[in-house]
């Protein structure tokens, strides 16, 4: 038996079968955790901001968002939140909706909807921050 | 071709509700509710930037009873999902899998969430009190200017 110089934990059978019925690797799992870790400080900051500065009236909220540091944090929060939420809702759809056409439609709606929301949020924050 | 019916997993109802399974499904439900919340957050930002005439809807809803109930529910979902998410991340590092510790961390998570939500509840109640107080101060029987204030910010609504 030859010993391969490249260290691999996969058996040749596994390698030839590819990813199997999962059809996907660990990417989804990894980005769900990374976005969760990013959300820990960002979301706590956001709740604090809501309680202290944002919830009063439009002027107070606009002044808050117009601060460059706040604008950047808010942008990161909203994008991470939408991304993490979309990854999560995707799993829920995959788990509970079984009819292929409904499932694919739901997944496309979630993904496109997320992109639209991400763009709208970025544009709104940008407009307030840049004047 | 004969098709064999796929095996069914036992029905959910036969299981005794346990802290482990209840908290697990609660993570999913709160994640879904927070996703709904994220849509509202984007709508709020959009209104702030592009449609100031609609901003009153957000301010007024935040002060209505229903709006407050929604905010309180959101707060619970947030604190629960956050603390249980951290619990998940410890599991992902391979820690805390012994049944005793799983149950214990579950109770820590649920009490943390309730405690922090109660804090938000007090804050929302203070909100109401402040508005009732200023309503009493304005000695106008028919049209009332109600001032809501949070910290140094305040907003006045004429009814
Ligand atoms: C604030 C906005 C957030 C939204 C909209 C959101 C949404 C979601 C959704 C929909 C899921 C899928 C649930 C499921 O598959 O059962 C999920 C899962 C998850 N969330 Fe969040 N989440 C948020 C914040 C957080 C935070 C702050 C953390 C931090 C620790 C976190 C950690 C997790 C983890 C670890 C999972 C995966 C759980 C699993 O493997 O089943 N999430 N989230």
């Amino acid at each position: 038996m030859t010993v391969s110089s490249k260290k691999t934990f996969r058996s040749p059978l596994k390698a030839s079968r590819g990813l199997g019925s999962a059809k996907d690797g660990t990417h989804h799992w990894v980005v769900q955790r990374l976005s969760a870790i990013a959300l820990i400080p960002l979301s706590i900051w956001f709740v604090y901001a809501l309680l202290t500065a944002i919830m009063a009236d439009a002027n107070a909220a606009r002044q808050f968002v117009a601060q460059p540091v706040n604008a950047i944090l808010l942008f990161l929060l909203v994008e991470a939140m939408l991304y993490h939420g979309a990854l999560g809702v995707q799993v829920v759809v995959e788990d509970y909706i079984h009819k292929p056409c409904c499932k694919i439609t739901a997944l496309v709606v979630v993904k496109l909807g997320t992109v639209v929301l991400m763009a709208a949020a970025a544009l709104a924050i940008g407009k307030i921050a840049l004047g | 071709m004969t098709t064999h019916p796929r095996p069914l997993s036992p029905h959910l109802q036969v299981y005794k509700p346990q802290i482990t399974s209840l908290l697990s499904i609660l993570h999913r439900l709160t994640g879904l509710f927070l996703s709904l919340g994220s849509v509202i957050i984007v709508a709020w930002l959009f209104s702030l930037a592009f449609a100031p005439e609609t901003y009153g809807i957000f301010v007024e809803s935040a002060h209505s009873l229903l709006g407050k109930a929604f905010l309180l529910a959101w707060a619970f979902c947030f604190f629960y999902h956050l603390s249980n998410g951290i619990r998940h991340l410890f599991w992902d590092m391979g820690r805390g899998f012994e049944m005793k510790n799983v149950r214990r961390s579950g109770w820590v998570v649920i009490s943390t969430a309730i405690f922090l939500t109660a804090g938000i509840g007090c804050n929302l109640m203070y909100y109401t009190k402040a508005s009732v107080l200023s309503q009493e101060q304005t000695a106008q029987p028919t049209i009332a200017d109600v001032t809501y204030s949070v910290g140094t910010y305040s907003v006045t609504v004429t009814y």
Side-chain angles (χ1 to χ4, degrees):
Chain A
M1 210 179 124
T2 52
V3 179
S4 152
S5 61
K6 223 166 123 198
K7 194 173 172 185
T8 172
F9 294 106
R10 285 196 181 151
S11 66
L13 179 64
K14 171 69 188 163
S16 68
R17 278 184 178 161
L19 293 164
S21 64
K23 299 183 187 67
D24 201 354
T26 50
H27 177 257
H28 187 282
W29 187 90
V30 171
V31 287
Q32 178 100 55
R33 315 294 128 165
L34 284 181
S35 56
I37 292 167
L39 278 170
I40 299 175
L42 287 172
S43 60
I44 294 175
W45 166 81
F46 179 65
V47 169
Y48 174 75
L50 271 182
L51 290 176
T52 54
I54 301 178
M55 262 176 61
D57 63 36
N59 281 333
R62 223 174 275 119
Q63 267 172 28
F64 180 86
V65 180
Q67 301 286 320
V69 174
N70 293 341
I72 292 169
L73 287 175
L74 193 60
F75 174 79
L76 293 175
L77 163 87
V78 174
E79 305 301 323
M81 182 174 65
L82 290 170
Y83 183 48
H84 176 90
L87 291 167
V89 174
Q90 178 193 337
V91 178
V92 177
V93 168
E94 286 165 350
D95 281 353
Y96 300 137
I97 303 183
H98 301 303
K99 224 172 116 190
C101 63
C102 296
K103 178 157 87 186
I104 290 167
T105 310
L107 289 176
V108 169
V109 167
V110 168
K111 292 202 171 155
L112 292 185
T114 303
V115 173
V116 170
L117 290 172
M118 283 176 158
L123 205 64
I125 296 170
K127 170 152 191 259
I128 298 169
L130 302 175
Chain B
M1 199 180 95
T2 52
T3 53
H4 297 282
R6 309 260 334 243
L8 279 177
S9 33
H11 287 282
L12 218 49
Q13 302 92 292
V14 307
Y15 290 105
K16 174 172 151 238
Q18 294 169 88
I19 172 120
T20 43
S21 54
L22 289 181
L23 294 197
S24 167
I25 192 62
L26 197 55
H27 192 75
R28 179 157 280 196
L29 292 175
T30 53
L32 286 176
F33 195 78
L34 290 175
S35 301
L36 174 69
S38 68
V39 177
I40 296 177
I41 291 172
V42 175
W44 161 73
L45 274 172
F46 201 82
S47 148
L48 189 64
F50 299 112
E53 69 280 4
T54 60
Y55 198 75
I57 302 172
F58 290 90
V59 177
E60 298 227 0
S61 328
H63 290 97
S64 71
L65 199 62
L66 202 69
K68 281 189 177 151
F70 187 86
L71 285 174
L72 202 65
W74 188 87
F76 175 78
C77 289
F78 172 73
F79 290 128
Y80 176 78
H81 193 90
L82 172 68
S83 28
N84 199 52
I86 293 172
R87 184 170 170 243
H88 261 284
L89 294 176
F90 274 99
W91 287 333
D92 294 338
M93 293 186 289
R95 304 178 60 160
F97 278 128
E98 306 77 14
M99 275 326 286
K100 188 169 132 250
N101 290 338
V102 170
R103 287 197 198 94
R104 193 188 286 166
S105 60
W107 284 113
V108 169
V109 158
I110 196 78
S111 14
T112 308
I114 292 174
F115 178 75
L116 292 175
T117 309
I120 298 287
C122 294
N123 197 292
L124 290 174
M125 241 145 76
Y126 168 76
Y127 230 42
T128 319
K129 251 215 183 117
S131 66
V132 170
L133 275 179
S134 48
Q135 208 164 7
E136 282 164 357
Q137 280 155 11
T138 48
Q140 279 173 309
T142 46
I143 305 166
D145 274 348
V146 184
T147 305
Y148 305 108
S149 56
V150 191
T152 48
Y153 299 102
S154 63
V155 59
T156 302
V157 180
T158 303
Y159 291 103

